[in-house]
């Protein structure tokens, strides 16, 4: 994380790296969620500073979902959907959002 104007910033790369760490079983689902709880505070932290609006929105959705999800509902095998959503360009934003929200968690 970097700081701008005395406010920390979570970059797209940092978020992608933490999700990759989870996907590669370097960290547990509980550690992923703890990271989200500790770092995701839109009032106190910039999210994706300098990124396009849709990327910032995707990052917020991903972080919020992993922050509030029941640990047993997070599907490790679908971690790439979160990364695809964060890295998507505007033309596939809705499609990647739908896949992440629908397939990234079990009901």
């Amino acid at each position: 994380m970097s700081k701008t104007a005395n406010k920390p910033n979570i970059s797209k790369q940092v978020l992608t790296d933490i999700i990759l760490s989870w996907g590669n079983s370097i960290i547990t689902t509980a550690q992923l969620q703890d990271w989200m709880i500790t770092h995701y505070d839109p009032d106190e932290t910039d999210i994706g500073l300098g990124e396009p609006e849709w990327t910032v929105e995707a990052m917020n959705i991903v972080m919020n979902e992993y922050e509030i999800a029941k640990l047993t509902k997070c599907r490790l095998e679908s971690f790439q959907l979160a990364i695809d959503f964060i890295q998507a360009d505007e033309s596939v934003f809705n499609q990647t959002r739908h896949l992440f929200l629908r397939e990234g968690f079990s009901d």
Side-chain angles (χ1 to χ4, degrees):
M1 285 191 324
S2 58
K3 284 190 168 192
T4 56
N6 298 326
K7 198 173 179 185
N9 174 54
I10 298 172
S11 69
K12 179 169 75 172
Q13 187 62 56
V14 166
L15 182 55
T16 300
D17 288 348
I18 195 76
I19 295 167
L20 269 173
S21 292
W22 176 56
N24 291 322
S25 299
I26 295 166
I27 63 171
T28 65
T29 305
Q31 288 171 312
L32 174 74
Q33 187 168 67
D34 287 346
W35 190 92
M36 298 300 171
I37 290 167
T38 301
H39 294 94
Y40 182 61
D41 185 351
D43 294 332
E44 300 294 325
T45 305
D46 286 324
I47 310 297
L49 196 64
E51 295 289 346
E53 182 180 334
W54 63 87
T55 300
V56 173
E57 185 176 345
M59 291 175 66
N60 275 286
I61 290 169
V62 167
M63 293 182 77
N64 184 64
E65 291 298 320
Y66 284 136
E67 180 182 45
I68 64 172
K70 291 185 185 227
L71 295 178
T72 57
K73 301 290 185 185
C74 297
R75 295 180 64 199
L76 177 61
E77 67 274 15
S78 297
F79 80 94
Q80 188 63 47
L81 295 174
I83 294 171
D84 292 348
F85 181 34
I86 293 164
Q87 295 180 344
D89 83 11
E90 191 175 20
S91 65
V92 292
F93 175 85
N94 288 330
Q95 177 185 359
T96 55
R97 177 182 60 197
H98 175 77
L99 284 171
F100 167 69
L101 293 173
R102 185 165 166 247
E103 303 294 331
F105 305 89
S106 59
D107 290 331

